Amino acid sequence: MSEPFVHPYIPNTAPEVKAEMLAAVAAASASEFYADVPADLRLHRPLNVPAPLPAEQDLARHVRGILAQNRTTEERLSFLGAGTYNHYVPAVVDEVIRRSEFLTAYAGEPYEDHGRFQALFEYQSLMAELLAMDVVNVPTYDGYQAAATGLSMAGRLTGRGRVLVVSDVLPEKDSKVRDYVRAALEIEVVPTVDGTADVAALRERLGDDVAAVWVETPSFTGAVETRLREISDAAHAVGAVVVVGTDPIGYGVLTPPALHGADIVTGDIQSLGLHQWFGGAHAGFIAVHDDPRFVMEMPSRLFGLESTDVPGEYGFGDVAYDRTSFAHREDGKEWVGTAAALWGIAAGVHLSLMGPQGMAELGELLLARTRYAQRELSAIPGVALGDGALHLREFTVRFSSASAPDLVAALRADGIEPGVVVDDSTLLVCVTETTSAADIDRLAAAIAAALNTREEQAA
Amino acid sequence: MSEPFVHPYIPNTAPEVKAEMLAAVAAASASEFYADVPADLRLHRPLNVPAPLPAEQDLARHVRGILAQNRTTEERLSFLGAGTYNHYVPAVVDEVIRRSEFLTAYAGEPYEDHGRFQALFEYQSLMAELLAMDVVNVPTYDGYQAAATGLSMAGRLTGRGRVLVVSDVLPEKDSKVRDYVRAALEIEVVPTVDGTADVAALRERLGDDVAAVWVETPSFTGAVETRLREISDAAHAVGAVVVVGTDPIGYGVLTPPALHGADIVTGDIQSLGLHQWFGGAHAGFIAVHDDPRFVMEMPSRLFGLESTDVPGEYGFGDVAYDRTSFAHREDGKEWVGTAAALWGIAAGVHLSLMGPQGMAELGELLLARTRYAQRELSAIPGVALGDGALHLREFTVRFSSASAPDLVAALRADGIEPGVVVDDSTLLVCVTETTSAADIDRLAAAIAAALNTREEQAA
Amino acid sequence: WDEPIVFELSTPGERGILIPSVEPSVREAVGDVVAALPEGMRRPAPPALPEIAQMRVLKHYLRLSQENLGSDLNVDIGQGTCTIKYSPKINDQLIEVPQLRALHPAQDPADTQGALEMLWRLERLMAEISGMDAVSLASPGGSAGIWTNIAMIRAYHASRGEGEQRDEVITTIFSHPSNAAAAKVAGYKVITIHPDTDGYPDLGALKAALSERTAAIMVTNPEDTGIYNPAIQEWVEAAHAVGALASYDQANAAGILGITRARDAGFDVCQFNLHKTFSAPHGSGGPGAAANAVSAALEPFLPGPRVERVDGRFVVREAGDLSIGHVAPAHGVILHVVRAYAWIMALGAEGMLAASQIAVLNNNYLLQRVLEIPGASAPYATGRRRIEQVRYSWQELFEQTGITSEEIGIRMADYGFHYWTSHHPYVVPQPFTLEPTECYSKAEIDEYVSALAQVAREARETPELVRTAPHNQTVHHTHHDDLDDPERWAITWRAYRRKYFGETPADFSAPADLAGAAA
Amino acid sequence: WDEPIVFELSTPGERGILIPSVEPSVREAVGDVVAALPEGMRRPAPPALPEIAQMRVLKHYLRLSQENLGSDLNVDIGQGTCTIKYSPKINDQLIEVPQLRALHPAQDPADTQGALEMLWRLERLMAEISGMDAVSLASPGGSAGIWTNIAMIRAYHASRGEGEQRDEVITTIFSHPSNAAAAKVAGYKVITIHPDTDGYPDLGALKAALSERTAAIMVTNPEDTGIYNPAIQEWVEAAHAVGALASYDQANAAGILGITRARDAGFDVCQFNLHKTFSAPHGSGGPGAAANAVSAALEPFLPGPRVERVDGRFVVREAGDLSIGHVAPAHGVILHVVRAYAWIMALGAEGMLAASQIAVLNNNYLLQRVLEIPGASAPYATGRRRIEQVRYSWQELFEQTGITSEEIGIRMADYGFHYWTSHHPYVVPQPFTLEPTECYSKAEIDEYVSALAQVAREARETPELVRTAPHNQTVHHTHHDDLDDPERWAITWRAYRRKYFGETPADFSAPADLAGAAA
């Protein structure tokens, strides 16, 4: 690096052309361009960062060396969920989203980026079929943000300030939502009974100051809300909006919330074609009916079909752009920015591959394996199910005499991640299509063995 | 699978459409189409193959499980070469050749496959610069085939039947070449002296019945032939063709064979942008001067630049297609078939990235590390260099008292693959840009330790 | 390609992918779980997703991809403010490994040391680059990072009992709109400062707006005009003088890495966009990622979870009581964390400085070339150098020809170039914003300018050609008026079929009659 | 895109990638190795490769890729004889792992058990599919597999002392030309049998040609006409009767997997193309791979090295003395081995049978639709079913319009379809060969036929439009006469610059004057 600094990422570090360009703009050196940066704000030393690895092979060896410390869920038997799920991702999904044309596109217009507009319109449309609603947004950051925005929309729509939450909410999600809506909404908890909503208690607390009833289904514990219709009717009776937070994975077999009266359905699409990525690949959807009162409250971009000069040809464009912060800054609806479009394309490809039968079969498989795991685990002495609700993919178990963290530690030594610790005696267990019956049997045997060992040590 | 068999790879297994198509061609079932296959040739049972894994996730788990048994050269410190080399492959190379458009293309015409024709024309052109010759073919299978065809061309050109080989040839390559040319050529060995050609002995054996002198540089042992000009002059004096087998990796700093009189330069491009792939990703090149006598003897396709209806526009097409077996079956030159085009594109991308400076620096690095490894290893008591020639990337060492296979076994226990066993006392050691000075030091220390242990045990 | 909408490719019975069957042992143990669902919970009919065999699905999306211009394909100078850099392919290769893809955030930290080390390393690099004390990589986008900034500022004032009192945020009109919008969501009244006649942020106007009600100033610098605020330190000091915090939107940092740092100008908090300044790809509009960097005083307010290094090992800690909590799942967008780390390590201090300097050289070269085109101008700060981008104007050309900047953009696409027409705010008339970054060669910049000059010439000589563009794209001129009319907009295929063809899907349900809601 | 030749993108000093520096410790130990090279060994001047920064190299090749139609993108029915199947993306994912990419064939077999097991498993599957006893996967292409067949046959006869005596090989005109060409390279005189008037291989002609001089018959079946030789067993028996071997080119096996097997008809040796019948992608023309399957009698002649299973572990053995030796490096094209294995395992027996049956259904459906187009015909075996492909003729259309099959093919490209014009041998007049495989839906087949019918209509109504095609491609009509004239052909950029612009490169050297060579 003692010679003139030339880097493959920066073409005009080539000395001749750099000199030519400086001459063209009559500058002696690049520092001239910083005339507006006061001298005392200039950093008069090199940044104190490690020596670089400009040769690609050295860089690759360095980064791979760091990442090689990780042990994957392919090397461990994992029953971890709690918002990030180990679903199988079809190869075609990965193939499509790693295409340079999608991966490195950004803010092109509907002409030269027709494909991106169509792919995202199709994502919206496929999700709409799964959710049985007519409007779905271009993805926002994640399901946390989607719920927070869904509640904010309800607040703006109703002009009211109370939210009643009737489900158990993932704590991290609850943290995000509360801080996000803090300026406009107060969230009150209506405690669940046996895993799902206490509809009677909800009815008592509803009033015409309630902006929204917030339902999570499946909930933090994987419980499916089976009384959504009653909740919706009660909420609508006082003019409150029903906001649902969900995971769309089950709607090949389960009735989607819209058919039980939900007004705003939000959730995360990580389950639909995205790898776990250490929890770093999420995207949120917000679905509503095709009602301008609702649509005009959505902050995200909405891609719509439109006609062109050629009869029968489909063009695409932004629906109701005037809602957005791009158009109106603080007078827009919340804000719109770079969020998670690529993951929307992934989910679209995933749903195109799965089709109705795939989603139905997957839903059934998840229900069956969840039930199976519940049976196997609760058959172990000292282990009981956390509640009696219908569960999809996740459920909790309680240990009558063991500590959940201790149990996790014991099973990790066997290469098993048995679940996420909820509290000292409760574990949140997750099964997907990647956890086979044999895997579940292995978990049950390992838990039984660990509890036995514990008993013996205690005896 | 008890229901109608429907598979994602076979759209028309969908029952309705299948029935519709059968009806359209007035067939009761697919078996009607096999009227010409005699009943006693029919297999009246299912093929006896394992139960299938139609769910992609099951297939992936199965195959990954088998491959997970492998331990890679990233997990072992490898000094293995002998025809397959561990050179660094830039990410851009992999990105380009995994593009669906290149990966799944085949035999399109120059119009709709303009990009493929241009990419391969550019490959030819980039190789031509490296080799300083004006004609390079679309790749053949591998360097073995390239050498075999190069010699066959010489046989056809001269109408003669003797080949004198003056270098040490990789045994597997020698096996292939001898069987390939058997019908037309007899190969005689002129034994090497100190690793390279015995020019005096060659001169004695040359005569006007010699079709070709075959030179390998670097040779099987990595020795660079430094007397090629003398060899060429001697061969040309009797009308014999000089056929060189080489690896182009060093020609950023080394003089290419054409400048020393070689007529047909052949070799393998695995070093130029292809991973090791268990020895399964090779491609061969054949380069000649722009002399129709030579060009018309080449069996492979040759893509050429041509003009189009639009002035200044470049089109592409097949040069002298009439040479080929496509055109003339057994009257063509050998044959042309699906060979290794994708690897040609890879090498083209690689050379485009490397540029003159990259190839020069790489050549220097390889020369320096080879020399360094020679010094380090030969400094160990009981270890000597196999010869005194100039070496590039590979060289042999001889053990005065240890067995090479035993030494390999001892080092493998330390996670080191020290080289390929040539004979009981000789090891072929390979270094590349991926084997750092520290790696070489580690090898030297491990060999020294193993020899010491051996001595001690013997004592 | 004239590729249909995916629903039009459906053939009954085709399958794109198969799902493992329920194991017999499971079936036997649990019975028919679908039939056993409680009343009303079983979906009446399957969702009307298309049925398409695998190859056709692949082909569909590959064709759509080809109808798209990624920055890998074109000369992406026209997406000003977006900082379209080269996203090195090696960085994509580095993340596409099971060691990241198949990693769950709740795994034993002993099994995720590599990921945690990456987070820790990039935090340290970002602290040095910004001059700040602590960094969080949790925010999943640039605007999300701006939200994290204001959420921390709100928590800071609340922790000091000034939450009620400080209800105003001040920004500038050429700062990214998300600064204003996020402040609004956080409950603040937004005050926007317009530039002085030279186009520089107006310090006098700021001082007039500041008061004990000010919670923060939130500014981008250089602004989207490419103009660096030479009085930035005075801005920060003025804010501090009334007890407000100073928040720095570093979305436009691509020209100043290693030149000047946020903390050195006194800022309390800032955010960088990993998908712009640090080369992570834009993904058709996300995922993005931000690095939020703060002074020691604000560190307790950073979102959680936090990664710490203890005895050479990396541990995960929940954030403390003052923290704003979680802003996204887990640790943020790890893919971009690794990519940004790899980009920085490939360049080092000298390389980042060179990247900035060349980005600025490219921009000033481009400025000179664009100004040679008759009808183009660069409002504000006339004759002065710019940093990494310039907001130009076609006002003169428009006055002479009636051709708008948007029409020129559409025509540019016929030449295979992007040209982004969103130039919030619309203060500059007939705007266009170009940002060449350090990643384009002189030849490519010249190529872009030539096309621009050509279209400007066409605007004068053959304006109809420009007005009726595109002529060379997948689709033709579209009718945008469909999109703003609730009766005609079609946000999904099912809505389109229902509104235009009267096909009401079986699972259609009408919006609730929120009688009381309007009240 | 109007993408230049890569050399035209060069800018002095740009770098596409950097190489690690020589370590100081190495430099100190060995000095300047380049300066120390022997006289004449140091290259006088660096090779004239282009100098291009990384992003521009990437962009160049991505643009070229977009100017190409892979089978993932189009309806690839027009490449008859090529068996363009869907290459499942999962199979590409499965091979793209360090466990294959970073594996060296000389590693400790304990470290390569996974690769060896793959080879062994696919060999066993291929043995069952062919009915043969032993299999080699070493041949790196379809024609290479044909070569391996004839090399084994030659070694077999030589081992029996009949090498000199048997100097003839018999093939049919509709067998792939590589059968004839490879036999010629092996030293054989080639006898070609033409079909009878119905288009079936002529058994009488075969019998007349067979003698004690015959080393082998080498035939494709079904032939490239899609006609299955119903007397194939009689052919084999007739060959055996004179002591000749029977070699089966299974390049066209896509319609008969699980239907009929080579060994059951008595063949001694056959080869399958993994890149056609077993779905491995064609890679723009390779790599390919063949599976050579043989009877027990020929097993000793298979190429080496061989993989064997011993006590549940896999070991590598050099082949014995009778073996033809090595036909390629290492174990063959492992990438295609894994892909073919995965394809077979995804389908199983029922799936392979379904693949064959649907391929044949698709073909006969296509046949019916094509024959509805005025001017198209299917010579031979009129009214009978075909297996997996058909060689058609535009002779009637040509006679009526003067438009050739080649011109129709070029015009088809304007509609986004492939249409391969190489129909070796040119026996059928104005030929075109279509092979739909099992991978295309009825809708796609209909789409293809519609385009074909449209072009045929254009040939009658607007022949000039067809004759001057392409109108819709990256390039325009090219001048093929440049390519057959040694004075004008330009096989490389340097030759082009030299011949057309007189730029002789510094490192140009003239061909040797092989004075004696012509003699």
Side-chain angles (χ1 to χ4, degrees), chain B residues 5 7 12 20-21 24-26 32-34 36 38 41-43 45 48 52-53 62 66 69-73 76 81 84 98-109 111-116 118 122 124-125 129-130 134 141-142 157-158 160 175-176 179 236 251 253-255 259-260 263 275-278 280 289-290 304-310 313-314 320-321 326 329-330 334-335 339 341-342 352-353 356-357 361 364 369 375 412 417 437, chain D residues 4 6 8 15-16 23 27 29 40-43 49 60-61 64-65 67-69 71-72 79 89 95-96 98-104 106-108 111-112 114-115 117 128 144 147 154 172-173 175 180 184 200 230 233 255 259-260 282-287 326 329 332 334 341 345-346 351 360 362 368 384-385 418 420-422 424 440 442 470 473 475-480 482-484 489-494 498-499 507 509 512 516-517 519:
Chain B
F5 181 85
H7 200 284
N12 296 336
E20 189 186 335
M21 291 175 77
V25 296
E32 279 191 30
F33 305 123
Y34 297 107
D36 278 340
L41 292 190
R42 303 266 192 114
L43 183 69
R45 61 165 174 84
N48 180 19
L53 301 165
H62 168 72
I66 294 172
Q69 301 171 75
N70 293 339
R71 291 291 161 270
T72 72
T73 54
R76 305 286 185 252
T84 298
R98 76 183 304 295
R99 294 274 298 178
S100 274
E101 291 89 337
F102 284 137
L103 181 64
T104 70
Y106 195 32
E109 298 293 311
Y111 298 105
E112 75 274 15
D113 274 5
H114 180 78
R116 179 171 67 87
Q118 181 168 339
E122 291 180 352
Q124 296 170 183
S125 300
E129 296 298 344
L130 195 57
D134 277 11
Y141 306 115
D142 47 47
L157 266 166
T158 59
R160 302 172 180 179
S175 162
K176 159 78 184 198
D179 198 58
H236 292 160
Y251 295 125
V253 288
L254 295 179
T255 303
L259 299 186
H260 288 150
D263 303 298
H275 298 277
Q276 298 167 91
W277 288 117
F278 201 48
H289 294 297
D290 195 356
L305 198 67
E306 55 184 347
S307 51
T308 79
D309 284 350
V310 176
E313 191 178 71
Y314 301 129
Y321 189 75
F326 279 163
R329 298 174 71 88
E330 69 269 22
E334 305 174 41
W335 72 77
L342 193 66
S352 301
L353 287 168
Q357 206 174 335
E361 288 173 9
E364 180 180 359
R369 288 204 179 149
R375 284 175 55 116
R412 279 176 174 171
E417 291 279 3
Chain D
V6 68
E8 300 177 295
R15 298 294 300 268
E23 291 96 337
R27 170 81 67 196
M41 290 308 292
R42 180 175 183 171
R43 186 171 185 138
L49 299 169
H60 176 69
Y61 284 102
L64 292 188
S65 81
E67 297 175 351
N68 221 46
L69 277 182
S71 68
D72 278 355
Q79 297 193 63
K89 287 294 146 188
I95 63 160
E96 286 178 348
Q99 285 78 23
L100 280 173
R101 213 163 42 203
L103 209 62
H104 192 284
Q107 276 180 260
D108 186 351
D111 285 351
T112 62
E117 181 170 347
E128 169 64 11
W147 165 259
R154 185 173 64 176
T172 70
I173 189 69
S175 292
K184 171 76 176 309
Y200 287 92
Q233 196 161 11
I259 302 286
T260 180
H282 288 70
S284 287
H326 292 259
I334 190 81
Y341 176 78
M345 288 302 294
V360 174
N362 285 354
Q368 173 145 330
R384 294 188 63 88
R385 308 288 191 181
H418 265 310
W420 197 30
T421 54
S422 180
H424 34 264
Y440 294 97
K442 175 174 175 295
Q473 298 292 310
V475 285
H476 302 83
H477 204 81
T478 48
H479 302 150
H480 282 285
D482 290 354
L483 300 173
D484 288 316
W489 69 37
I491 302 174
T492 57
W493 182 250
R494 61 191 265 135
R498 179 172 55 76
K499 287 174 160 173
D507 54 12
S509 57

Side-chain angles (χ1 to χ4, degrees), chain C residues 432-454:
Chain C
F432 63 110
T433 311
L434 306 182
E435 180 181 9
T437 79
E438 75 276 14
C439 298
Y440 294 99
S441 68
K442 174 174 175 298
E444 289 174 300
I445 295 171
D446 288 342
E447 203 185 313
Y448 191 92
V449 174
S450 298
L452 213 51
Q454 168 65 21

Side-chain angles (χ1 to χ4, degrees), chain A residues 24 34 36 100 134 179 290, chain C residues 72 154 255 368 384 498-499:
Chain A
Y34 297 107
D36 278 341
S100 275
D134 277 10
D179 197 56
D290 195 355
Chain C
D72 278 354
R154 185 173 63 176
Q368 173 146 331
R384 294 189 64 89
R498 179 172 56 75
K499 287 176 160 171

Side-chain angles (χ1 to χ4, degrees), chain A residues 142-457:
Chain A
D142 48 46
Y144 299 5
Q145 180 68 54
T149 290
L151 294 172
S152 299
M153 287 169 59
R156 291 194 294 272
L157 266 166
T158 60
R160 302 172 180 179
R162 281 178 72 208
V163 169
L164 300 177
V165 55
V166 298
S167 313
D168 296 318
V169 182
L170 181 71
E172 291 82 359
K173 182 176 186 174
D174 191 61
S175 162
K176 159 78 182 199
V177 171
R178 281 176 189 271
D179 197 56
Y180 187 82
V181 305
R182 187 182 299 279
L185 299 171
E186 192 178 343
I187 297 181
E188 301 169 26
V189 177
V190 182
T192 57
V193 172
D194 202 26
T196 53
D198 182 343
V199 179
L202 168 68
R203 285 204 180 98
E204 279 170 26
R205 291 167 69 169
L206 273 171
D208 64 7
D209 56 348
V210 173
V213 176
W214 176 16
V215 180
E216 293 273 301
T217 177
S219 72
F220 167 45
T221 67
V224 176
E225 181 54 64
T226 51
R227 299 178 69 188
L228 182 56
R229 169 52 69 192
E230 294 168 68
I231 294 168
S232 299
D233 290 346
H236 291 162
V238 297
V241 176
V242 176
V243 178
V244 167
T246 188
D247 189 302
I249 194 77
Y251 294 124
V253 289
L254 295 179
T255 303
L259 299 186
H260 287 151
D263 303 297
I264 301 176
V265 178
T266 72
D268 200 301
I269 56 173
Q270 187 264 327
S271 299
L272 298 179
L274 301 181
H275 298 278
Q276 297 168 92
W277 289 118
F278 201 47
H282 289 268
F285 66 85
I286 303 171
V288 299
H289 295 298
D290 195 355
D291 177 337
R293 291 176 303 164
F294 285 82
V295 173
M296 293 305 290
E297 290 300 334
M298 297 175 84
S300 312
R301 294 177 78 172
L302 301 167
F303 288 168
L305 198 68
E306 54 182 348
S307 51
T308 79
D309 284 350
V310 177
E313 189 178 74
Y314 302 128
F316 299 96
D318 273 285
V319 168
Y321 189 74
D322 260 2
R323 298 164 294 119
T324 67
S325 63
F326 279 163
H328 291 299
R329 299 173 71 86
E330 69 268 24
D331 296 328
K333 304 299 179 179
E334 305 174 38
W335 72 78
V336 59
T338 304
L342 193 67
W343 303 149
I345 296 174
V349 179
H350 187 259
L351 290 172
S352 301
L353 288 167
M354 293 289 280
Q357 208 174 333
M359 287 307 291
E361 289 173 8
L362 178 60
E364 181 180 359
L365 183 67
L366 294 176
L367 283 171
R369 289 205 178 146
T370 307
R371 189 76 203 103
Y372 181 74
Q374 286 183 306
R375 282 175 55 116
E376 294 288 298
L377 265 53
S378 61
I380 302 167
V383 181
L385 294 180
D387 59 65
L390 171 68
H391 281 260
L392 177 73
R393 199 173 53 183
E394 286 181 288
F395 60 94
T396 56
V397 288
R398 295 220 181 94
F399 303 107
S400 55
S401 57
S403 132
D406 288 354
L407 192 88
V408 167
L411 267 71
R412 280 177 174 171
D414 282 348
I416 301 176
E417 290 279 2
V420 173
V421 171
V422 176
D423 60 38
D424 194 60
S425 64
T426 312
L427 197 63
L428 179 65
V429 178
C430 175
V431 297
T432 71
E433 74 280 10
T434 66
T435 24
S436 68
D439 294 334
I440 295 167
D441 295 343
R442 188 177 154 210
L443 172 68
I447 290 178
L451 293 177
N452 255 332
T453 308
R454 215 184 143 66
E455 295 256 309
E456 279 164 26
Q457 284 174 341

Side-chain angles (χ1 to χ4, degrees), chain B residues 292-447:
Chain B
R293 292 177 302 164
F294 285 82
V295 173
M296 293 306 289
E297 290 301 334
M298 296 176 86
S300 313
R301 295 177 78 172
L302 301 167
F303 289 167
L305 198 67
E306 55 184 347
S307 51
T308 79
D309 284 350
V310 176
E313 191 178 71
Y314 301 129
F316 299 96
D318 273 286
V319 169
Y321 189 75
D322 259 3
R323 298 165 292 119
T324 67
S325 64
F326 279 163
H328 291 298
R329 298 174 71 88
E330 69 269 22
D331 296 328
K333 304 300 180 181
E334 305 174 41
W335 72 77
V336 59
T338 303
L342 193 66
W343 303 149
I345 297 175
V349 179
H350 187 259
L351 290 173
S352 301
L353 287 168
M354 294 289 281
Q357 206 174 335
M359 287 306 291
E361 288 173 9
L362 177 59
E364 180 180 359
L365 182 65
L366 294 175
L367 283 172
R369 288 204 179 149
T370 307
R371 190 74 204 105
Y372 181 74
Q374 286 183 306
R375 284 175 55 116
E376 294 288 297
L377 265 53
S378 62
I380 302 168
V383 182
L385 295 180
D387 59 64
L390 172 66
H391 282 259
L392 178 72
R393 197 173 55 182
E394 287 181 288
F395 60 95
T396 56
V397 289
R398 294 221 180 93
F399 303 105
S400 55
S401 57
S403 132
D406 289 353
L407 192 87
V408 167
L411 266 70
R412 279 176 174 171
D414 282 346
I416 301 176
E417 291 279 3
V420 173
V421 171
V422 175
D423 61 37
D424 194 61
S425 64
T426 311
L427 197 63
L428 180 64
V429 179
C430 175
V431 296
T432 71
E433 74 280 11
T434 67
T435 24
S436 66
D439 294 334
I440 294 167
D441 294 343
R442 188 177 153 208
L443 172 68
I447 290 178

Side-chain angles (χ1 to χ4, degrees), chain D residues 24-288:
Chain D
S25 64
V26 172
R27 170 81 67 196
E28 197 179 322
V30 304
D32 184 341
V33 285
V34 174
L37 282 171
E39 174 73 22
M41 290 308 292
R42 180 175 183 171
R43 186 171 185 138
L49 299 169
E51 303 175 65
I52 318 172
Q54 189 169 120
M55 189 191 203
R56 190 65 185 90
V57 174
L58 174 69
K59 194 176 296 175
H60 176 69
Y61 284 102
L62 293 184
R63 287 177 174 181
L64 292 188
S65 81
Q66 288 197 345
E67 297 175 351
N68 221 46
L69 277 182
S71 68
D72 278 355
L73 276 299
N74 83 111
V75 178
D76 238 348
I77 287 173
Q79 297 193 63
T81 79
C82 298
T83 312
I84 307 290
K85 294 195 176 194
Y86 172 47
S87 297
K89 287 294 146 188
I90 181 62
N91 298 353
D92 294 336
Q93 259 194 22
L94 291 173
I95 63 160
E96 286 178 348
V97 292
Q99 285 78 23
L100 280 173
R101 213 163 42 203
L103 209 62
H104 192 284
Q107 276 180 260
D108 186 351
D111 285 351
T112 62
Q113 286 290 303
L116 298 174
E117 181 170 347
M118 274 291 159
L119 290 161
W120 185 86
R121 281 176 175 258
L122 187 61
E123 284 185 8
R124 292 293 86 216
L125 289 171
M126 286 295 171
E128 169 64 11
I129 288 167
S130 62
M132 295 286 188
D133 297 302
V135 175
S136 163
L137 302 168
S139 299
S143 298
I146 291 172
W147 165 259
T148 299
N149 287 347
I150 189 63
M152 289 190 288
I153 289 165
R154 185 173 64 176
Y156 171 84
H157 290 306
S159 76
R160 296 159 57 91
E162 297 184 353
E164 299 290 311
Q165 169 204 323
R166 297 191 180 270
D167 64 352
E168 290 178 358
V169 162
I170 302 174
T171 185
T172 70
I173 189 69
F174 285 121
S175 292
H176 192 280
S178 287
N179 289 282
K184 171 76 176 309
V185 173
Y188 291 101
K189 181 171 161 244
V190 176
I191 298 170
T192 303
I193 307 290
H194 284 253
D196 66 19
T197 48
D198 262 358
Y200 287 92
D202 188 335
L203 180 59
L206 171 72
K207 288 185 171 159
L210 283 165
S211 77
E212 75 288 347
R213 291 183 58 189
T214 310
I217 60 169
M218 298 183 78
V219 295
T220 309
N221 187 34
E223 297 188 300
D224 286 354
T225 53
I227 295 174
Y228 187 91
N229 180 355
I232 190 66
Q233 196 161 11
E234 289 86 339
W235 275 58
V236 172
E237 285 165 2
H240 285 170
V242 300
L245 295 175
S247 173
Y248 192 164
D249 173 8
Q250 295 260 37
N252 295 344
I256 56 173
L257 296 178
I259 302 286
T260 180
R261 307 190 303 172
R263 187 64 185 152
D264 299 340
F267 280 96
D268 304 287
V269 52
C270 68
Q271 106 289 340
F272 293 93
N273 293 3
L274 301 187
H275 54 291
K276 293 181 175 176
T277 313
F278 295 93
S279 90
H282 288 70
S284 287

